[in-house]
Amino acid sequence: MADKRATIIRGGRLINPGRDRAETADILINGDTITEVGPPGLAAPADAIAIDARDRLIHPGLINAHMHGHGNLAKGMGDRWTLELLLAAGPWITGGRTLEDKYLSTYVGAIEMLLKGCTACYDLTVEFPLPSVEGLDACGRAYADAGMRAVLAPMVAEFSFYEAIPGLMDALPPALQKEVERLRLAPGDATLAAMRQSMQSWRFDRASVRPAVAPTIPHHCSDDFMRKCAVLAREFDVGLHSHVQESKAQVMVGLKRYGKTQTAHLDDLGLLGPDFTVGHGVWLDHDDMQRLGDHGASVAHNPGSNMRLGNGLADVRAMLERKVNVGIGTDGANCSDNLNMYESMRLASMVSKTQGPDTDRWLTTGEVLAAATEGSARALGFGEKLGRVASGYKADIVFLDLHNVNWLPFNNAVNQLVHTEDGAAVHSVMVGGRMVVEDRRVVGVDMAALARRIEETRARLEGATLPNKQLFERVEHVVNSFCPGLAKMPYHVDRFGGGHHGHTHAAWVKR
Ligand SMILES: [Zn+2]
């Protein structure tokens, strides 16, 4: 920020979601904001810093609408895990973290996202048994240090995984019941007070790193707690984010507990609004989507994680038809194993195309790109500031190397960005007018030193979390027979007709 001179980017090919071709355009930046985009030869102040973008394809920074900063140290730790096994593994793969570990886990994810063309994210981060001012500050500092934008939401609940699923605790042998008792969370009021304190003492520029509130999964919280989370978020004018109808087991628990879908229940509680984001929404029915659309709410679509955890394929076309704002995310590296938004875009396109023969219902690559930029920006509460390379938007810009093999030949800009690009062509990345990746390296980061630090941390955590790992190994078979049992109960979401499946609700509710 010390340099007050303007920046002019000349000669790059600028992607346009509505067009096959990327025309050459010059981009003028003042401070952290794009002030003009125009044809080659655009006027600029004589002392402007010039960036030569010939042989570069320029696209707005991708925006990750749903990820978990704490998950980055757990990449690759699981394979054949359902969502419920992932939750049961949490104390092992996320446990025992010091303040510095929390920073490091968040930081390495920020570095990965920047290197893969992503400039902002919605991070749902967790601390046990409740969030702390220092912990959230450490995570915020990781994004500020990396030079990336983030919405940082402590993922909070009142009930542990074992308490949240009716009947699961009883399915455990008494000895294990006693052991999982140590996984109890803090009382809701203590958690709410910690979040309030964190937001009151927030020291980051909210245009770069801002707080939000994420009651993790509705049935892991009391209704009173959910309502208080919404009141808190709205008092501080920040976002609300929750995992809703992600797995079928979750849906069945929701129906049993509420007598209606989780979305219908959240609507009754007053949570839905333009500030509310549904994580996943794989099992939303059309009425749920209509409610979300009517409230101007968002869905963060995470196709990679939805497949990896066996949750299924979300019907994004039906969401868009009901005016739901859709963003795209990677989900945590503990269940998608990377934070690659190019891969998420590609999967979002593929997943839409596997769901039926009617090509009109498939997502276009332009729609996918719009979701991963403008749609995600709106979910983050950064609508009309992020997600486009246009006058008035923040200068969050990715420069792809058109000599990379992904672009040989260069036939169609948007199709290739979504279906061909995998991050390998990312040459430089700018956030708020400042280069944070240059020539495929994160500016100012010593990757060898970071690797040493990460390995020391990994080795220490492996030892520290061994008891939690052993506990997971003892509960695994119980969780993995009880929860799939729930998921096998009849429940049908009609994908292609308008009809609903009311009788399956009723059948469950009567039990
Ligand atoms: Zn998630």
Side-chain angles (χ1 to χ4, degrees):
M1 288 296 158
D3 198 330
K4 291 265 193 277
R5 287 183 298 166
T7 297
I8 179 82
I9 301 168
R10 293 205 187 275
R13 308 268 300 269
L14 176 59
I15 202 137
N16 181 333
R19 294 218 199 129
D20 295 343
R21 268 186 64 78
E23 307 296 340
T24 304
D26 288 357
I27 301 161
L28 182 66
I29 297 163
N30 277 286
D32 65 353
T33 302
I34 298 166
T35 48
E36 207 175 343
V37 178
L42 185 69
D47 67 343
I49 300 161
I51 294 176
D52 180 359
R54 280 173 298 171
D55 306 318
R56 302 276 181 264
L57 178 67
I58 290 174
H59 71 76
L62 303 175
I63 301 175
N64 192 343
H66 185 101
M67 53 79 64
H68 301 282
H70 60 268
N72 299 320
L73 293 182
K75 60 173 79 112
M77 286 180 79
D79 178 14
R80 297 200 295 178
W81 285 355
T82 60
L83 173 65
E84 287 70 32
L85 287 174
L86 174 72
L87 294 173
W92 160 34
I93 63 176
T94 319
R97 303 270 178 96
T98 65
L99 209 53
E100 204 47 34
D101 299 338
K102 292 171 190 174
Y103 172 89
L104 198 59
S105 184
T106 307
Y107 183 73
V108 73
I111 297 297
E112 177 178 357
M113 286 186 276
L114 288 173
L115 286 168
K116 296 175 182 174
C118 172
T119 51
C121 70
Y122 209 139
D123 179 351
L124 284 69
T125 193
V126 81
E127 290 181 87
F128 179 82
L130 80 170
S132 70
V133 172
E134 314 78 63
L136 291 166
D137 188 80
C139 297
R141 191 159 43 84
Y143 287 111
D145 288 355
M148 185 178 165
R149 292 183 211 276
V151 176
L152 189 62
M155 200 164 68
V156 292
E158 289 170 294
F159 312 129
S160 74
F161 166 68
Y162 299 95
E163 296 165 316
I165 298 191
L168 177 57
M169 194 66 108
D170 296 335
L172 294 175
L176 278 177
Q177 286 181 13
K178 248 191 138 47
E179 281 220 50
V180 301
E181 259 174 37
R182 69 181 163 86
L183 305 175
R184 279 242 164 91
L185 296 167
D189 285 343
T191 296
L192 287 159
M195 288 195 286
R196 171 176 293 278
Q197 215 190 332
S198 165
M199 286 196 266
Q200 279 167 342
S201 61
W202 198 257
R203 65 187 179 94
F204 305 101
D205 174 4
R206 283 179 182 229
S208 295
V209 183
R210 66 171 63 159
V213 176
T216 180
I217 296 169
H219 59 265
H220 288 227
C221 308
S222 67
D223 289 351
D224 184 52
F225 182 77
M226 289 295 284
R227 263 195 226 100
K228 285 175 174 167
C229 283
V231 167
L232 182 70
R234 285 164 188 161
E235 183 186 332
F236 285 87
D237 193 24
V238 301
L240 269 168
H241 199 136
S242 187
H243 296 83
V244 179
Q245 288 159 256
E246 177 180 357
S247 75
K248 189 178 167 195
Q250 258 179 19
V251 170
M252 301 319 284
V253 171
L255 291 173
K256 179 171 179 141
R257 183 140 155 218
Y258 308 126
K260 55 187 130 174
T261 66
Q262 292 178 339
T263 302
H265 186 64
L266 293 176
D267 195 2
D268 291 349
L269 291 181
L271 265 83
L272 304 189
D275 51 356
F276 188 83
T277 299
V278 161
H280 302 273
V282 178
W283 290 86
L284 297 176
D285 65 31
H286 290 170
D287 296 339
D288 296 327
M289 294 175 190
Q290 192 64 53
R291 285 173 193 274
L292 295 172
D294 289 348
H295 283 283
S298 299
V299 168
H301 175 44
N302 309 302
S305 157
N306 292 343
M307 291 193 283
R308 158 90 149 73
L309 298 174
N311 288 322
L313 312 175
D315 186 358
V316 171
R317 171 62 66 213
M319 295 177 195
L320 294 176
E321 283 171 344
R322 288 160 184 80
K323 304 278 183 274
V324 179
N325 175 56
V326 177
I328 293 179
T330 58
D331 207 358
N334 50 5
C335 61
S336 66
D337 304 283
N338 68 33
L339 303 176
N340 189 339
M341 281 293 292
Y342 296 104
E343 184 184 288
S344 291
M345 286 199 294
R346 188 169 195 265
L347 292 176
S349 171
M350 304 289 173
V351 157
S352 87
K353 287 156 175 125
T354 62
Q355 295 189 41
D358 182 356
T359 55
D360 287 345
R361 300 196 61 76
W362 296 3
L363 298 182
T364 66
T365 53
E367 287 174 315
V368 171
L369 176 58
T373 50
E374 293 174 77
S376 291
R378 203 175 125 192
L380 266 66
F382 278 105
E384 286 161 31
K385 284 283 169 221
L386 300 183
R388 288 176 64 183
V389 176
S391 176
Y393 281 72
K394 297 286 184 190
D396 294 5
I397 298 172
V398 177
F399 301 76
L400 299 181
D401 179 4
L402 287 172
H403 292 173
N404 182 277
V405 73
N406 286 342
W407 297 91
L408 305 179
F410 183 178
N411 287 315
N412 179 304
V414 178
N415 285 349
Q416 274 174 265
L417 188 70
V418 172
H419 286 160
T420 312
E421 183 52 47
D422 52 6
V426 175
H427 180 277
S428 359
V429 179
M430 175 183 272
V431 178
R434 191 166 73 88
M435 281 296 192
V436 287
V437 174
E438 266 182 321
D439 200 11
R440 300 179 173 78
R441 290 165 183 276
V442 184
V443 175
V445 174
D446 177 346
M447 288 301 278
L450 181 62
R452 281 193 298 276
R453 228 175 120 191
I454 297 261
E455 171 50 23
E456 280 165 23
T457 305
R458 189 208 60 76
R460 173 171 44 75
L461 287 174
E462 187 177 39
T465 59
L466 187 61
N468 290 352
K469 183 184 185 197
Q470 289 162 341
L471 177 59
F472 172 70
E473 286 164 352
R474 291 166 64 205
V475 298
E476 189 177 3
H477 73 279
V478 183
V479 171
N480 206 26
S481 58
F482 190 86
C483 295
L486 281 175
K488 278 176 192 152
M489 306 190 79
Y491 181 78
H492 176 63
V493 175
D494 187 353
R495 293 279 190 202
F496 303 108
H500 200 326
H501 27 76
H503 69 281
T504 48
H505 286 192
W508 170 262
V509 170
K510 273 190 218 127
R511 273 160 213 272

